[in-house]
Amino acid sequence: AQSVTQPDIHITVSEGASLELRCNYSYGATPYLFWYVQSPGQGLQLLLKYFSGDTLVQGIKGFEAEFKRSQSSFNLRKPSVHWSDAAEYFCAVRTDSWGKLQFGAGTQVVVTP
Amino acid sequence: DGGITQSPKYLFRKEGQNVTLSCEQNLNHDAMYWYRQDPGQGLRLIYYSQIVNDFQKGDIAEGYSVSREKKESFPLTVTSAQKNPTAFYLCASSHEGAGMNTEAFFGQGTRLTVV
């Protein structure tokens, strides 16, 4: 069965510091992988996606993620966080050709001055 | 602008009441989805539909019902059989197939509270 694990429930980072959010997936075929961000009380916004090709993908808001098949990982990174990056981040894998998603439990990011 | 519209943003339900959450999209997507979000549990799939007049149960369908009479619309009814309906509900839609433009787009959500 497909699954997505985000090991860190909560991360606190100082403004200007780097950020890395971990994501591990379990999926039989070549995965379509996504990172979404959610501000409080809002819907989900797509940060970036991977489905083939270059394993380092660039997204919006200065985020990037690296797909590592050997480690079944798709970690999200940002070199220097801004206070506006405080939000909840979800990793997801597409489980069929129609777009159905399996989500991780999410990582809450707090940014301190 | 193309997108997904959910209404209402906040909804209060009395015990034993059925309530319906609206979801409309103008992205011309074939597939639509309802997810439930609870703190610390991520998003869980309630129902999904790939074509008009057809839908399938997701992982937590008990106590919910849907319809898909139009491509643009996928309303969710939370019935009195759903014993713990207080949650944040998100509607999404996507294209079918492989390649670049197959990500899911999400609405802004409806927060349902039992009073």
Side-chain angles (χ1 to χ4, degrees), chain A:
Chain A
Q2 303 94 343
S3 66
V4 179
T5 302
Q6 294 180 246
D8 304 304
I9 296 172
H10 188 273
I11 285 181
T12 299
V13 59
S14 300
E15 192 168 13
S18 63
L19 175 68
E20 181 168 15
L21 304 182
R22 296 182 290 164
C23 173
N24 294 97
Y25 68 90
S26 172
Y27 188 69
T30 300
Y32 280 46
L33 294 160
F34 306 86
W35 275 100
Y36 286 89
V37 61
Q38 184 182 37
S39 297
Q42 300 296 313
L44 273 64
Q45 181 183 21
L46 181 69
L47 284 175
L48 47 77
K49 59 189 174 185
Y50 170 82
F51 64 97
S52 70
D54 193 346
T55 56
L56 185 63
V57 294
Q58 302 297 321
I60 62 171
K61 305 186 179 188
F63 284 92
E64 65 178 26
E66 186 170 14
F67 170 64
K68 293 185 177 180
R69 185 186 299 275
S70 60
Q71 299 177 20
S72 296
S73 70
F74 188 54
N75 294 348
L76 181 71
R77 299 193 292 255
K78 185 169 184 177
S80 176
V81 299
H82 186 262
W83 64 266
S84 59
D85 294 322
E88 190 156 22
Y89 292 79
F90 292 95
C91 181
V93 63
R94 196 177 82 163
T95 60
D96 66 10
S97 67
W98 289 90
K100 193 167 56 171
L101 296 171
Q102 181 76 39
F103 284 89
T107 297
Q108 185 72 46
V109 173
V110 173
V111 181
T112 59

Side-chain angles (χ1 to χ4, degrees), chain B residues 1-5 26-27:
Chain B
D1 288 338
I4 300 178
T5 302
N26 61 3
L27 300 167

Side-chain angles (χ1 to χ4, degrees), chain B residues 9-19 21 36 38 63-64 78-89 110-115:
Chain B
K9 188 171 177 64
Y10 299 97
L11 187 58
F12 298 91
R13 191 193 96 167
K14 294 181 180 179
E15 295 284 350
Q17 230 179 19
N18 293 353
V19 291
L21 285 60
R36 170 178 170 142
D38 296 283
Y64 300 97
V78 184
T79 75
S80 57
Q82 171 49 242
K83 296 308 178 188
N84 184 24
T86 295
F88 192 54
Y89 291 86
T110 294
R111 182 162 300 281
L112 173 62
T113 304
V114 174
V115 296

